[in-house]
Amino acid sequence: MAWSERNFSARRFGTRRMIKAVAISFFVLLGFGGWFVYEKLPRIPGVPKAPVVGVPQGALDHAPKPAYAGEHPRKSGRPAEYFPFPIAIGESGPVETLFSGPSTYPFLCGENTVTNAQPLVDNHNGEGIPVFALDDTGNQTNEVIGYSRDCSHATSVSYYYRSTQDGAFHPLENANNDIDQVTVNGKTTDFVVRLETGTINRFFYAIAALRGDSETADKPTISNWNKRLIYQFRGGVGVGRRQGNMSRKAIIERREDQLARGYAVVYSTANQTSNHYNIWLAEDTARRLKKQFIALYDEPMYTVGIGGSGGAIQQYLLAQNAPGVLDAALPLYSYPDMVSQTTYVFDCEPLEYFFDVVAADNPRWKDVTEREVVIGLASQKEFDHRFKALENVAALFDGRYRNTAEGASECVQGWRGLVPLVNNPNFVHFSQSFADTVARNTHWTHWEDLRDFYGAGPDGYANSAWDNQGIQYGLEALKKGEISIDEFLRMNATIGGWKAPTEQGGEKLWFMNGDVFPVELSVWSEHNMNLGSLDNPAPRSVASVEAIEGIYRSGHVFLGDVEIPIVDVRHYLEGELDMHHSLASFSSRERIRRARGHSDNQLIWMSHKKYDPVDEALDIIDHWMQRIIEHPEMGVAGNKPVEATDRCFDKNGNVMAAGPSVWDGSWNNKPEGACMRKYPIYSTPRQVAGGPITGDIFKCELQPLERAIAKNTYGAASAAVVEHIEDMRRVFPDGVCNFNAPDVGRPKERLFDQGGNVIIAGHVISADYRPLREEIARDTEAPQEDVIPVPVSDDGREIGTD
């Protein structure tokens, strides 16, 4: 008996020890797992050593301002240059722009990792960032010797070579009989690149070209230049207020293949849209940087732009606004313009919030691919989007995240986080780079970045061009029977607009805001939305018509009027749910066709993501440009080489199809082409709401519901709409969109004259306008007499059309 008691006691003690060990192991694993998840979560930059500590007096007064009402930049002249280019080594470039307006503050200085130098001191008033003294070894101390408000840097020249040992670039002084060779202009030469950096208009610039024979740093020679200039553009979503960073990788590694072929390359952080979206500033800087290049080298045979996303936007707009800055364009992952992107991107989070939270009781929407009928953008069932880890952790504290759908749409993977950056005056992800008072008193929005063009209201906040008044989300899905009238009404009653800037609060990003508790996370930013219900529909956002007119007049909207050769190149990324969807290329094409009667000067190339067709595109452009130079009287389209056709490529670079009809499809009401079958395009929430593929109606003309019904806007769903007419009137009290009418905010007069000549590669080219061959998609409807309202009843009668 005694033995049994001892045995039982021992076993009980062993069990307790085992339970304790398991518990310890569990919490160790939990802690390790929590650390692992924490490391995977997104971050916001911390406080740098040199934040912006102050601004000039009056810089943040936020006075009301009218929207731009002047001439379109295509029509207006440019002032004569006053700065004496070239900028000498050791000197700095101009600070104030030539024509794009006074400098704005605060302005965050970037980093030039080529020189590792601090910006030059320009004041001792505490304006800008602090500049520190250096010790005897050249390292920064903590002693502040002054401040830099405008972030100027002295021009500097470095030489880099490509090594035969590792294929990488290294400072020329480190060469050890390992300099690679290239053949240019019929001769073999060392692959040594001259890289010049400095500042123009407060932004970093860079010029890169093969080292010439017998050149010195201050006097480059052109013996190894092929007389062709690449202007590098870059993308990103920016709200201004920063200089950006310069690195060797930004130009030498990025354009290594082209440098090896003898191209010269220029680039400025003013031509990177993550730093700003002011196309006047982009043009102003491009003109000046080209002057610096020409003063050092020579006039190029031609200048071709290249760059992706926002870098593509700049090329389309510069080609429209400032003929002669670029002679040809190679836009990558293109969009027509920034304003067009906001129209459908701002729809994303209200729709996702509806599906994830408001309609969480509907099992259909748990399948994200079902949402495509309303969102239009691509979706994937099995896809771990970049916010998933954050949602999974938040689910421990917030029940809304426990039953969200698996997978994602492009709205989530591609665009989530962009609305706060563009639209919330209280939020910017690099706010800790500014002193608290500076950050708190700055309006951080895209609209504010361009307040000279959008204007600002009596409250001092910049006007917005985003509008969803009368937008019928899911209209096409309703017409096709893919959603019911009840779901259509519930969705449109729930979704209002985004709150006015004075009513918006900070973003709830939980620990990214520096908080551990309480847990406040909102991936949808729903606290900044107007939300409602069928009993109390949410008010929609109404844009400033003056702001829309200003953004048209200032050249920030792509109207399609471009003459130069364009090869629009992109990887097919719909499977990645990447924001750079293929539809955008066709939006630009349709704008070009409508403006000029044809789009013969634009090619669309699309490839598998494993193949890069940029070099082939440059060869096509080179052949095209040489023909234009030889026969300018034949114009751009008349000189198009026979191989300059639309194409699609597989992962090995094989051309799967080429020709004038390979991209035909439902977007232009033609039988589906071979490339469109391989790489199908998707849609956007605005297109599903009835908008055109051009995506350039920022504020629609409203029409009474009776008129919309009479025009058969609802198709087979007309009877259901009539039956629910009172609900429809409550949800759409001001009427619904008539997308057959032009944008309400687009100026009625022609912004600039068609016809005349343009200068391409130094040659006079006659502008090529033609009558429209056929009307596709949506075109402006002819004026009509008022439609007599249709009697409203629920008897199921067929509704007439006008």
Side-chain angles (χ1 to χ4, degrees), residues 49 118 130-134 140-146:
K49 181 179 181 181
Q118 296 181 89
V131 179
F132 301 96
L134 304 180
Q140 290 183 21
T141 67
N142 291 322
E143 178 189 354
V144 176
I145 59 172

Side-chain angles (χ1 to χ4, degrees), residues 133-261:
L134 304 180
D135 62 21
D136 294 338
T137 61
N139 295 316
Q140 290 183 21
T141 67
N142 291 322
E143 178 189 354
V144 176
I145 59 172
Y147 297 86
S148 186
R149 175 182 59 210
D150 293 313
C151 308
S152 292
H153 280 250
T155 292
S156 175
V157 172
S158 306
Y159 286 91
Y160 295 91
Y161 77 99
R162 188 169 72 182
S163 172
T164 56
Q165 299 296 316
D166 58 9
F169 284 91
H170 303 278
L172 183 58
E173 57 268 27
N174 296 343
N176 185 21
N177 297 317
D178 62 337
I179 299 178
D180 204 354
Q181 302 280 295
V182 292
T183 301
V184 178
N185 297 337
K187 64 176 183 178
T188 301
T189 187
D190 290 344
F191 197 170
V192 176
V193 176
R194 178 188 185 274
L195 177 62
E196 174 178 309
T197 64
T199 52
I200 293 175
N201 292 354
R202 302 197 300 172
F203 291 85
F204 288 120
Y205 80 85
I207 296 174
L210 286 176
R211 181 182 64 179
D213 297 339
S214 305
E215 79 169 40
T216 59
D218 59 336
K219 290 187 177 180
T221 61
I222 64 173
S223 57
N224 293 320
W225 176 36
N226 68 9
K227 295 289 289 181
R228 295 148 176 88
L229 178 63
I230 290 176
Y231 203 112
Q232 174 71 57
F233 297 88
R234 295 185 65 186
V237 177
V239 294
R241 314 290 188 181
R242 62 177 177 176
Q243 181 182 40
N245 300 318
M246 175 61 68
S247 67
R248 186 182 72 203
K249 182 178 180 181
I251 187 164
I252 293 183
E253 276 89 344
R254 185 177 291 272
R255 297 270 72 92
E256 175 181 354
D257 292 345
Q258 289 75 50
L259 288 166
R261 297 171 63 184

Side-chain angles (χ1 to χ4, degrees), residues 335 340-348 377 415 581 684-686:
Y335 302 105
S340 302
Q341 289 173 254
T342 64
T343 56
Y344 63 86
V345 171
F346 280 33
D347 296 331
C348 273
L377 299 162
W415 296 107
H581 53 244
T684 69
R686 286 296 165 105

